[in-house]
């Protein structure tokens, strides 16, 4: 065994340790507060004490730190570790210099190594988070609360940050990032400004299993997660609590939001400000066609509890350039509006040519909406929208389960269930309410217990096939109302309890085109008056009645 040596200074020197762990480095010396001791070329362990780095240093050996050992890196110096590194999950790296684990065989790093103190509301973990992410592409977080003085910004490509759970609401039930501000985003992923091209977007970021919260009342527009100018990224198992926007996405291309939750229960700093669970898109053309490109929102949930005092709460807002968006199994509970597609056609002009296509909303679950379940506004003639298998149950006082105004192009509702029985107000909610629109195609939609199941006003080019059924509610209105509509085809089953509806189909005014109306599947016992009325006059036979073509009488 070699004799122990004492170095003249308590530090590692370039000439002694430039390549610790190489074959020729056997027996090189490490100095610290505990004194110098020889190290072999294999796995090395530093004893308790402070070990100072005063010059740039590269260590190739595997290195472990015993409990109580610390490494202090001098300002302007870098310690580069290339072997496997292991240490207790505690504060081990000190000093103003840098630690580089990017090319090591260490599988992940912990912000505690740089001084993050979990569970302490007086601490600021943000410097440790930033240092950890700079040192290693994979950061692991414990089931604990981490308090941040400002937004945690991630602009490093191919970074992975994983927590230990996201559904708990108390310390230790999961990982929580708590920003000590009401005005900033908790987490921002992506650059602050558009980098110029999609292929220059930040790539490969993967963030999972943590809550994004705050300690102060939130201001308008502050988000839990703001994701922008991203390519091939994934966000999974994230909970955004008490923000004005749970998740905001702009310029997010070929990326996923999976099993993410937005929740609001507390008042913000500005009473009556809007709330958005998810906000996708915008008036900028930064994705491949719209504001995003191939963005997937899968199995996500938005809800409201308590008394947050918000106005115009929307679970999912697809704004302006909403193209290439795929929304699957989205759930919203207790909001005013579950999903709003706001095309802003007049605002974005020619961008709508590509920005209003390729929107797919599959099996949304909208429960107890107090205004509208799914709303479509200002879609251009270029719009192509598919809504399949929606479930909407309205709350008392709601306006409609599905509503559209100035929605054009080609849009369809395929299958689905609209439930109005919980609405006890009079005149009550409308199941499907469409105004000043064109290009609607409804197939196999089921509407149950609405005071006004279907109401189309000043619409053209519409086709409706499905079922209207009121087994529990009587209505003073017709099952279907067509006001000044043209080029419209109806083939609906209308049924329910005895005299469930005042009339079957009521036509008021008429556009220039033909109305093709089938009454073959209208149950006469469910109708108190006539199966079909035109401006208050009964049409009691099949055939052409002006511009109305009646079949099935």
């Amino acid at each position: 065994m070699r004799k122990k040596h004492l170095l003249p200074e308590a530090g590692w020197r370039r000439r002694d340790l430039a390549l610790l762990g190489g074959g020729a480095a056997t027996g090189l010396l490490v100095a610290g507060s505990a004194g110098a001791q020889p190290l072999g070329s294999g796995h090395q362990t530093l004893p308790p004490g402070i070990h100072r780095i005063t010059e740039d240093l590269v260590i190739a050996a595997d290195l472990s730190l015993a409990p109580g050992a610390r490494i202090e890196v001098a300002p302007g110096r870098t310690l580069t570790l290339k072997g496997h590194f292991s240490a207790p999950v505690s504060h081990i790296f000190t000093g103003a210099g840098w630690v580089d684990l990017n090319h090591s065989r260490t599988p992940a790093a912990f912000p505690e190594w740089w001084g993050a103190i979990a569970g302490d509301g007086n601490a600021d973990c943000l410097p440790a988070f930033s240092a950890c992410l700079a040192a290693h592409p994979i950061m692991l977080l414990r089931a604990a609360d981490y308090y941040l003085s400002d937004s945690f910004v991630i602009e490093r490509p191919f970074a992975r940050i994983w927590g230990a759970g996201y559904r708990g609401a108390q310390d230790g039930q999961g990982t929580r990032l708590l920003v000590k501000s009401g005005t900033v985003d908790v987490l921002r992923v992506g650059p602050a400004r558009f980098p110029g091209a999609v292929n220059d977007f930040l790539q490969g970021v993967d963030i999972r299993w943590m809550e994004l919260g705050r300690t102060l009342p939130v201001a308008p527009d502050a988000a839990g997660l703001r994701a922008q100018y991203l390519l091939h990224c994934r966000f999974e198992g994230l909970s955004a609590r008490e923000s004005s926007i749970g998740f905001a996405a702009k310029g997010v291309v070929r990326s996923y939001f999976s099993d993410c939750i937005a929740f609001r229960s507390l008042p913000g700093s500005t009473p009556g400000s809007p709330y958005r669970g998810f906000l996708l898109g915008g008036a900028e053309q930064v994705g491949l066609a719209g504001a995003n490109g191939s963005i997937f929102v899968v199995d996500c949930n938005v809800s409201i509890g308590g008394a947050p005092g918000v106005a115009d709460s929307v679970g999912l807002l697809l704004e302006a350039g909403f193209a290439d968006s795929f929304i699957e199994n989205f759930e919203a509970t207790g909001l005013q509006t579950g999903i709003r597609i706001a095309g802003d056609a007049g605002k974005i002009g020619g961008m709508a040519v590509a920005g209003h296509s390729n929107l797919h909303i599959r099996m949304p679950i909208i429960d107890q909406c107090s205004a509208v379940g799914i709303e479509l506004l200002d879609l251009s003639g270029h719009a192509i929208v598919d809504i399949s298998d929606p479930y909407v149950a309205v709350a008392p006082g709601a306006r409609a389960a599905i509503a559209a105004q100035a929605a054009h192009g080609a849009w369809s509702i395929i299958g689905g269930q609209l439930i109005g029985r919980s609405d006890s107000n009079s005149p009550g909610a409308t199941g499907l309410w469409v105004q000043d629109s064109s290009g609607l195609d409804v197939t196999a939609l089921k509407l149950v217990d609405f005071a006004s199941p279907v109401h189309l006003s000043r619409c053209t080019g519409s086709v409706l096939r499905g079922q209207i059924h009121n087994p529990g509610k009587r209505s003073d209105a017709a099952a279907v109302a067509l006001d000044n509509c043209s080029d419209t085809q109806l083939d609906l089953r209308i049924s329910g309890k005895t005299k469930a509806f005042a009339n079957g189909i009521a036509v008021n005014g008429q556009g220039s085109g033909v109305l093709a109306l089938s009454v073959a599947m209208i149950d006469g016992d469910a109708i108190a008056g006539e199966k079909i009325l035109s401006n208050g006059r009964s049409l009691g036979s099949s055939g052409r009645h002006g511009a109305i073509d009646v079949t099935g009488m």
Side-chain angles (χ1 to χ4, degrees), residues 239-263:
S239 172
R241 288 179 177 263
E242 310 306 342
S243 287
S244 291
I245 305 168
F247 299 86
K250 178 178 68 174
V252 176
V253 178
R254 196 61 182 86
S255 297
Y256 284 80
F257 292 81
S258 178
D259 195 18
C260 291
I261 297 171
F263 180 73

Side-chain angles (χ1 to χ4, degrees), residues 322-402:
F322 54 73
D324 301 335
S325 297
F326 302 85
I327 316 300
E328 301 182 9
N329 306 333
F330 180 84
E331 186 172 7
T333 304
L335 290 98
Q336 289 173 281
T337 301
I339 297 174
R340 178 182 295 159
I341 306 166
D344 291 334
K347 178 180 179 180
I348 66 176
M351 179 184 166
V353 174
H356 279 185
S357 62
N358 199 22
L359 171 60
H360 303 264
I361 300 176
R362 300 167 180 160
M363 209 165 70
I365 304 165
I366 314 298
D367 202 6
Q368 296 304 300
C369 55
S370 61
V372 178
I374 301 174
E375 186 173 34
L376 301 94
L377 302 172
D378 199 13
L379 307 188
S380 73
H382 300 281
I384 307 175
V385 177
D386 288 315
I387 302 172
S388 58
D389 292 314
Y391 172 84
V392 179
V394 299
R399 180 162 55 92
I402 297 179

Side-chain angles (χ1 to χ4, degrees), residues 71 229 304 418:
I71 298 176
Y229 314 125
I304 278 185
L418 310 184

Side-chain angles (χ1 to χ4, degrees), residues 2 48 79 96-97 103 130 157 206 212-213 256 268 286 296 310 351 369 372 382 398 454 476 494 538:
R2 293 177 180 267
L79 170 62
H103 302 289
S130 299
D206 185 332
L212 309 175
Y256 284 80
V286 295
F296 296 82
V310 297
M351 179 184 166
C369 55
V372 178
H382 300 281
V454 175
D476 294 332
I494 299 174
S538 174

Side-chain angles (χ1 to χ4, degrees), residues 211-223:
E211 177 187 317
L212 309 175
R214 58 185 71 242
T215 63
L216 294 176
V218 68
D221 300 321

